[in-house]
């Protein structure tokens, strides 16, 4: 009698095996894409993406400039005008130094004739001390019996108080040099003998900002009427919460605005973009495009960094070629401007655009859109695909610098202006209150605009604290 055979396990069919293999392949593709995405995220730094340099930490990449070589040697150029400390025709003080003894025989030179003089001027600071000016307001009695007292000057607000000179210097240290309040108080005490309290020092910027209403109104009007305007934003901590500092600026005006919102609510509150009809130059923040009454120009410095990152990530050639093309277009535009031209020759511009389109097409061929996943919305294309889609969809905005010579290649103007706000946060940290943050940003708007017009920060602050805030003449150039 034969032993009974145990039942053999079920063998999957060919169709089942094919389905399992397809599912495995799909999972491999998804995981490979996820790994590539994470590697790309870890490989991002300030030189191959839009991340700020402060995010690099201690593992800073080797400096790599996006500028092309000019062919000039470092240092002062041949024939360039030098600069040095120039002597004064009329010095403040003259000190005469006479030799006592002859360096040859040792004889006394007290009565020897002067046969020549060498001059050297030393520029130095005197010992700075506070001066106390006592104002005495007399009371005089008229023949009619009425006693009248003379008015005190505006700076004499109390029996003892600091004058506008100390206030100007304190506001300068806080608003221009970005010192924390305690360090600014220490500087005033040790360098100038003004032992001010931190409370009084903290009140200076809000006091200054309260006097800037007229300036801020004119700034908004001038910016809204500008033909080309730069926009940018950065985060900042106010009372421990994330806020957004927005900047609208030109080469001659700067305006900062604080808001808890990063989008259209903040833009509307700033009061510039809603009525602006020129060319808005910015990065890829989508909210800027909601104002369709304006034209737009995208920052190509961002694109060059992103193209560098994609070239490193993929090893493909089109990102480097496209970056080189954009750089060539920029050089061509700058050369044409220097020659007095107002536009590129039509044939050359057409060649640039044709090459641009060809490189975008090459990039799309190498980085096709992923297949549908069955989920709502379009599947993510990854860094390369997303950049290609932006460059293709907004080609006119990317290349506007080449078709309109009034539009710059990049958004560096806004980034330079907002950099001072980041510097403030690095040195002094965030702000404890919205009042303090608004005051700092209003004063920064004032000082930045003054600097663009070649004005001294100390001078315009003195104008402000003496009741005559500086406002540039409309239409004036720096």
């Amino acid at each position: 009698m034969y032993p009974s055979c145990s039942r053999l396990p079920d063998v999957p069919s060919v169709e089942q095996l094919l389905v399992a293999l397809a599912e495995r392949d799909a999972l491999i593709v998804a995981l490979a894409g996820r790994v590539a995405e994470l590697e790309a995220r870890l490989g991002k730094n300030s030189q191959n993406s839009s991340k700020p340099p402060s995010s690099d930490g201690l593992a800073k990449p080797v400096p790599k400039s996006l500028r092309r070589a000019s062919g000039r040697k470092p240092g002062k150029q041949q024939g360039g005008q030098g600069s040095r400390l120039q002597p004064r025709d009329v010095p403040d003080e003259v000190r005469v130094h006479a030799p006592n003894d002859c360096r040859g025989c040792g004889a006394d030179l007290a009565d020897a004739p002067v046969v020549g003089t060498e001059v050297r001027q030393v520029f130095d600071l005197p010992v700075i001390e506070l001066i106390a000016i006592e104002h005495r307001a007399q009371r005089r009695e008229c023949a009619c019996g009425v006693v009248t007292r003379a008015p005190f000057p505006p700076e004499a607000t109390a029996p003892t108080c600091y004058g506008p000179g100390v206030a100007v210097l304190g506001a300068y240290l806080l608003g221009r040099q970005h010192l924390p309040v305690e360090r600014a108080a220490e500087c005033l005490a040790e360098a100038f003998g003004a032992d001010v309290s931190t409370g009084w020092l903290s009140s200076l910027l809000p006091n200054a900002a309260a006097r800037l209403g007229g300036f801020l109104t004119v700034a908004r009007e001038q910016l809204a009427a500008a033909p080309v305007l730069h926009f940018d934003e950065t985060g900042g901590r106010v009372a421990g919460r994330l806020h957004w500092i927005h900047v609208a600026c030109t080469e001659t005006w700067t305006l900062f605005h604080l808001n808890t919102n990063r989008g259209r609510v903040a833009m509307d509150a700033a009061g510039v973009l809603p009525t602006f009809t020129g060319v808005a130059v910015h990065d890829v923040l989508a909210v800027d495009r909601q104002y369709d009454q304006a034209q737009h120009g995208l920052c190509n410095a961002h694109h060059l960094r992103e193209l560098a990152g994609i070239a490193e990530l993929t090893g493909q050639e089109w990102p480097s070629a496209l970056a080189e093309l954009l750089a060539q277009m920029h050089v061509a535009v700058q050369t044409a401007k220097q020659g007095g031209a107002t536009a590129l020759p039509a044939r050359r511009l057409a060649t640039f655009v044709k090459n641009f389109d060809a490189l975008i097409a090459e990039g799309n061929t190498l980085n096709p859109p992923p297949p549908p996943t069955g989920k709502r919305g379009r599947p993510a294309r990854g860094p390369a695909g997303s950049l290609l889609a932006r460059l293709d969809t907004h080609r006119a905005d990317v290349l506007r610098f080449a078709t309109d010579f009034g539009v710059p290649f990049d958004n560096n103007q806004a980034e330079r202006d907002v950099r001072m706000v980041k510097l403030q946060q690095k040195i002094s940290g965030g702000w404890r209150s919205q009042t303090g943050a608004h005051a700092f940003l209003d004063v920064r708007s004032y000082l930045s605009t003054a600097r663009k017009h070649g004005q001294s920060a100390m001078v315009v602050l003195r104008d402000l604290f003496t009741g005559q805030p500086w406002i540039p003449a409309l239409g004036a150039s720096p």
Side-chain angles (χ1 to χ4, degrees):
M1 186 175 181
Y2 296 102
S4 60
C5 297
S6 60
R7 184 178 179 181
L8 294 175
D10 294 335
V11 178
S13 65
V14 174
E15 290 78 7
Q16 290 173 324
L17 289 173
L18 292 176
V19 170
L21 287 173
E23 292 177 349
R24 184 199 64 184
D25 291 344
L27 179 61
I28 290 173
V29 170
L31 291 176
R34 180 60 175 164
V35 169
E37 178 187 350
L38 293 175
E39 287 179 343
R41 189 180 303 176
L42 288 173
K44 285 184 177 180
N45 54 55
S46 61
Q47 295 181 7
N48 59 20
S49 71
S50 58
K51 295 181 67 175
S54 58
S55 65
D56 290 336
L58 296 177
K60 291 185 180 295
V62 178
K64 182 171 58 177
S65 177
L66 296 175
R67 297 178 179 176
R68 298 304 189 267
S70 64
R72 296 182 298 181
K73 295 182 179 180
K76 179 178 174 294
Q77 302 302 308
Q78 186 70 26
Q81 184 179 2
S83 62
R84 67 182 182 91
L85 186 60
Q86 297 295 328
R88 291 183 182 175
D89 295 334
V90 182
D92 298 292
E93 181 182 347
V94 175
R95 299 180 185 179
V96 178
H97 306 278
N100 296 320
D101 304 315
C102 175
R103 64 184 181 89
C105 66
D108 186 7
L109 297 178
D111 297 326
V114 177
V115 295
T117 300
E118 293 184 23
V119 174
R120 295 182 182 180
Q121 289 189 358
V122 177
F123 291 75
D124 202 357
L125 287 173
V127 177
I128 303 175
E129 296 179 345
L130 285 180
I131 59 171
I133 302 174
E134 184 171 282
H135 297 275
R136 298 178 179 179
Q138 294 181 341
R139 293 193 298 271
R140 296 194 176 187
E141 184 176 357
C142 180
C144 69
V146 175
V147 176
T148 303
R149 191 202 72 182
F152 283 102
E155 65 269 20
T157 58
T160 57
C161 57
Y162 289 109
V166 181
V168 165
L169 184 55
Y172 174 80
L173 294 175
L174 297 174
R176 173 61 186 160
Q177 298 302 330
H178 312 285
L179 290 186
V181 172
E182 289 189 2
R183 286 174 56 190
E186 178 184 319
C187 177
L188 287 169
E190 294 189 358
F192 306 101
D195 195 9
V196 303
S197 69
T198 55
W200 178 83
L201 203 55
S202 299
S203 70
L204 291 180
L205 292 187
N207 187 4
R211 305 165 183 255
L212 287 174
F215 167 83
L216 296 174
T217 298
V218 174
R220 287 189 178 89
E221 293 173 350
Q222 292 298 302
L223 289 169
V228 177
L229 199 54
H230 295 261
F231 294 92
D232 203 358
E233 78 289 328
T234 188
R237 291 283 173 182
V238 180
R241 292 184 55 197
L242 176 64
H243 286 62
W244 294 97
I245 297 103
H246 300 263
V247 63
C249 59
T250 64
E251 292 181 353
T252 54
W253 290 88
T254 305
L255 182 68
F256 293 103
H257 175 71
L258 179 72
N259 204 288
T260 56
N261 188 279
R262 194 184 185 186
R264 180 151 189 164
V265 172
M267 301 293 188
D268 289 344
V272 176
L273 256 178
T275 59
F276 178 67
T277 58
V279 179
V281 181
H282 50 80
D283 52 19
V284 296
L285 187 63
V287 66
D288 294 326
R289 295 192 165 279
Q290 297 180 13
Y291 298 89
D292 52 12
Q293 83 281 0
Q295 292 183 304
H296 299 271
L298 292 182
C299 175
N300 283 298
H302 278 75
H303 294 149
L304 293 181
R305 290 194 291 267
E306 290 182 74
L307 289 168
I310 292 171
E312 294 174 3
L313 175 65
T314 64
Q316 298 171 1
E317 295 182 0
W318 67 267
S320 299
L322 186 52
E324 182 63 30
L325 176 65
L326 288 172
Q328 290 176 2
M329 295 177 71
H330 181 41
V331 171
V333 170
Q334 294 301 107
T335 303
K337 286 182 180 179
Q338 293 170 4
T342 58
L344 288 175
R347 181 174 296 180
R348 191 175 191 193
L349 178 60
T351 301
F352 279 138
V353 174
K354 180 180 178 181
N355 293 338
F356 181 89
D357 291 342
L359 289 170
I360 295 296
E362 178 184 341
N364 282 323
T365 300
L366 296 175
N367 302 274
T373 60
K375 299 180 181 179
R376 295 181 61 184
R378 291 175 297 182
R381 293 192 60 180
S386 298
L387 177 59
L388 285 165
R390 184 199 317 151
L391 296 175
D392 194 9
T393 304
H394 303 298
R395 182 185 69 175
D397 298 341
V398 175
L399 302 182
R400 196 172 299 279
F401 75 95
T403 58
D404 181 353
F405 278 14
V407 179
F409 178 78
D410 51 43
N411 196 30
N412 285 353
Q413 180 65 64
E415 294 187 2
R416 282 193 298 267
D417 287 345
V418 83
R419 189 175 297 137
M420 293 299 99
V421 177
K422 301 305 293 184
L423 181 63
Q424 164 73 14
Q425 296 177 58
K426 287 182 179 180
I427 297 175
S428 299
W431 295 275
R432 294 185 178 181
S433 68
Q434 287 204 7
T435 299
H438 279 293
F440 174 82
L441 294 174
D442 288 348
V443 173
R444 275 302 314 172
S445 301
Y446 180 65
L447 294 179
S448 176
T449 301
R451 186 173 182 82
K452 291 176 178 180
H453 286 265
Q455 300 295 312
S456 164
M458 294 285 285
V459 171
V460 297
L461 283 172
R462 180 171 287 275
D463 292 341
L464 185 63
F465 278 101
T466 53
Q468 299 293 330
W470 170 85
I471 297 179
L474 301 186
S477 58

